[in-house]
Amino acid sequence: MTGGTPGAGETLPGAGDEGDDAVDRVVCHVDMDCFYASCERLRHDDLAGEPVVVGMGYEPGDSVGAVATASYEAREFGVDSAMPISKALELLPRREDADPDDPDAPDPGETGRYVPVDLDFYEDVAGEVKEVLRDCADTRREVSIDEAYLDVTDRTSWAVAGGGANGEATDPPPSGAAGPAEARTLAEGYARHVKDRIEREAGVPASVGVAPNMSAAKVASDADKPDGLVVVPPGSVAEFLAPLPTADVHGVGPVTEETLAELGIETAGDLAGADRDRLAEALGERGPELSRRAAGDDDREVTPTGLPKSLSRESALPTTADESTKRETVSALAADVARRARERGCLYRTIGIKAVEPPFDVNTRARSLPGPVDDPDLVEEVALDLLSEFDETRVRKLGVRVSKLDFAETDQATLGGFEAGDGGDPTRRGDRAERDDGGDGGKLTDWVDGPPDRDGDESGSIADRERRGTEEGQASLGDWS
């Protein structure tokens, strides 16, 4: 394993003479560090080095809302992503509340800077990051606004730079053999090149993990945050993973972690060597798969993100909003979502709403249709009908979503006899429901076009990630499902 930060060493990116077709894959996992906070520091120099909390669903002076991301300085005070703003303020008061003339005011040195979410700006910065990634890798999987996998096998290799007698690249040391302390692979040089370009061209830091497979690269990117670079060459993945707690294994959420602990499995090494039949009994087919990953065995390819599975929009509103205001809001959101679906040429089979009750209780309702449709009036009709459940409820945010999208050029189903009130039982999910398969829970941010169904665990919910102690950035910008 090799760690480092930008500027260390002189290795330049490049590719070695691979010599055969059985080349070990080179996968980079790029994870932006506290991305929203980094974006705010990009345009506000005075935030550098300060505890920064980027929050949503609140106005200055209002303590109702949630933390989207907390800088590492803010985390030292116990502030975490997905935490209610009220709790964050208890741990880290606002800087503007510090009054040196008031003996009861907080100490300025124990206060933080609270900034409202500016999603449009973050998406602009993310666009600059993605431009770098697209230039650096032909094969990419963009998991979220701040996270992506790159397959750079065709751009570099695991050969050691400068290892030959004539300064030529050589193969990496065999498994278990320690090479010279200064030996670095070409893969590390290329990853450093990607990392430096992101900081230089987009202005924000990233942590990068490099490994021969996706799950190990993901773990490596978390291993030296912030602004880290960790490289795990072929043959050393199992050794790198073995001492880590099971929670660090890609795909292990808090529920699975507890189940494994009950089986006496505490580390990745324990998981790799566990009886896989026993794991299958306890966890189903995921058990043996997690064991293989813990052993460094992950043959998934980096596949590009495909077409979205849903389109959605949401809007914050005062908790004092009356029924008329809520209906007007949902009507506007429904029209916008239906327009975007038509512009993309897609049909939809499910229409849903999200209603967020204070402080941050997320409720979703959805109704399935007999077949795929393109019908803006129906989107509004169903959304308003689902909203009626919340006529007497205080809400602070509302959203509308269409899902189960169909981009095929086929005739839409005829909805003869469909009535808005006959679509079956609505579904409900709370924002704190644990999903151990790594899927996303209710989101804390404005919805954006949702990614396709993931491989089961590419980026667990932010609550899961924070609970298991990883240093992830912020609430993900996915959809709810």
Side-chain angles (χ1 to χ4, degrees), residues 260 271 276 279-280 282-292:
L260 293 173
L271 180 56
R276 291 180 181 175
L279 290 173
L283 298 170
E285 63 182 15
R286 292 184 61 251
E289 175 62 23
L290 292 174
S291 178
R292 286 190 289 271

Side-chain angles (χ1 to χ4, degrees), residues 16-102:
D17 184 9
E18 286 145 6
D20 59 56
D21 294 331
V23 178
D24 285 294
R25 188 178 296 152
V26 183
V27 177
C28 295
H29 181 260
V30 179
D31 197 358
M32 309 307 297
D33 297 323
C34 301
F35 183 56
Y36 304 164
S38 295
C39 290
E40 294 296 341
R41 285 173 169 168
L42 185 61
R43 61 179 176 180
H44 299 298
D45 293 340
D46 60 323
L47 295 180
E50 292 274 6
V52 177
V53 179
V54 181
M56 60 190 71
Y58 72 97
E59 299 296 333
D62 186 356
S63 62
V64 176
V67 175
T69 191
S71 70
Y72 287 95
E73 295 84 356
R75 294 181 190 188
E76 293 179 1
F77 290 87
V79 180
D80 285 328
S81 300
M83 176 180 287
I85 286 291
S86 56
K87 178 62 175 178
L89 289 171
E90 293 177 7
L91 299 169
L92 183 68
R94 287 190 178 98
R95 178 66 50 80
E96 53 264 41
D97 293 335
D99 183 353
D101 297 327
D102 183 354

Side-chain angles (χ1 to χ4, degrees), residues 112-284:
R113 304 283 294 276
Y114 283 73
V115 185
V117 168
D118 186 346
L119 185 59
D120 290 339
F121 177 60
Y122 308 154
E123 289 179 335
D124 286 343
V125 178
E128 296 177 8
V129 173
K130 289 179 180 180
E131 284 300 317
V132 173
L133 300 184
R134 288 165 187 161
D135 191 44
C136 291
D138 296 323
T139 304
R140 305 169 306 278
R141 184 173 183 84
E142 297 171 359
V143 178
S144 66
I145 193 173
D146 65 335
E147 180 183 4
Y149 292 93
L150 313 178
D151 187 330
V152 294
T153 309
D154 60 344
R155 304 289 186 100
T156 186
S157 78
W158 287 110
V160 174
N166 299 315
E168 301 165 346
T170 63
D171 291 335
S175 176
E182 67 276 8
R184 295 196 304 169
T185 62
L186 293 174
E188 178 185 347
Y190 195 79
R192 192 182 305 280
H193 166 69
V194 174
K195 177 178 166 60
D196 288 349
R197 279 195 61 183
I198 292 172
E199 187 154 15
R200 182 173 65 250
E201 299 177 29
V204 288
S207 290
V208 180
V210 191
N213 62 57
M214 290 177 65
S215 56
K218 167 76 171 175
V219 176
S221 69
D222 286 335
D224 191 29
K225 280 180 169 286
D227 201 23
L229 172 60
V230 174
V231 182
V232 186
S236 64
V237 177
E239 180 183 359
F240 165 71
L241 296 172
L244 300 177
T246 56
D248 287 353
V249 175
H250 189 202
V252 174
V255 176
T256 296
E257 181 186 8
E258 292 177 5
T259 301
L260 293 173
E262 293 171 357
L263 297 175
I265 299 172
E266 302 287 348
T267 68
D270 295 339
L271 180 56
D275 184 285
R276 291 180 181 175
D277 290 337
R278 186 183 181 207
L279 290 173
E281 291 178 2
L283 298 170

Side-chain angles (χ1 to χ4, degrees), residues 397-442:
K397 186 170 288 188
L398 291 169
V400 174
R401 185 186 73 160
V402 294
S403 58
K404 295 187 178 178
L405 304 184
D406 185 351
F407 289 85
E409 295 183 359
T410 56
D411 293 335
Q412 59 183 310
T414 301
L415 292 182
F418 174 79
E419 298 293 340
D422 296 334
D425 293 334
T427 60
R428 174 171 183 158
R429 274 189 50 202
D431 67 324
R432 294 183 179 84
E434 287 188 347
R435 283 187 55 184
D436 194 42
D437 62 358
D440 291 321

